[in-house]
Amino acid sequence: MKILNIDQQALNVMQKHAEATYPNECVGFFYGKEDDRTRYIELAVEVPNSKEGDQRRRFEVDPHDYMKAERYALENNTTLLGVYHSHPEHPAIPSEHDLKVAQPFFSYIIVSVKGGKSVKTRSWQLNEQNVFAEEEILQLQA
């Protein structure tokens, strides 16, 4: 697993987005660079939650938004490193649904929101056994 070094502004985008969409789940992408040990997250971008029905417990990314994200990464010499989303009134740990939709390369940052306020931010990545393993986050304030 890699260590995540998150730019404070990118972290603020994730947490403010999670608070703004409460009590629904938010979703977005994050970009940056990586080396052998560390992912440097430089930018977080909000994406509309396209989930039909109850968005308080699920998020979905429209395939067109995913294609736009990949194109943005190519055009801006950056790497699409993962997806962030929120868990309103739930801990920042992956759900069974999160596991079903996860892809091996991505980091998955989850922001736990209680009462409309971001309380915990954690990151996860699938390991070789297709199980989420927690990634260490540096420069994290909430």
Side-chain angles (χ1 to χ4, degrees), residues 27-42:
V27 62
F29 295 117
F30 52 90
Y31 304 86
K33 309 274 188 243
E34 67 179 331
D35 59 29
D36 292 340
R37 296 183 39 201
T38 307
R39 286 185 163 177
Y40 301 92
I41 298 170
E42 302 164 341

Side-chain angles (χ1 to χ4, degrees), residues 106-136:
F106 281 166
S107 292
Y108 290 90
I109 294 175
I110 302 174
V111 180
S112 176
V113 183
K114 304 275 184 176
K117 180 77 177 135
S118 298
V119 294
K120 184 77 173 172
T121 302
R122 297 168 74 182
S123 185
W124 307 83
Q125 187 177 36
L126 289 177
N127 63 19
E128 296 78 24
Q129 292 77 37
N130 206 39
V131 174
F132 275 116
E134 188 166 7
E135 298 177 297
E136 181 182 353

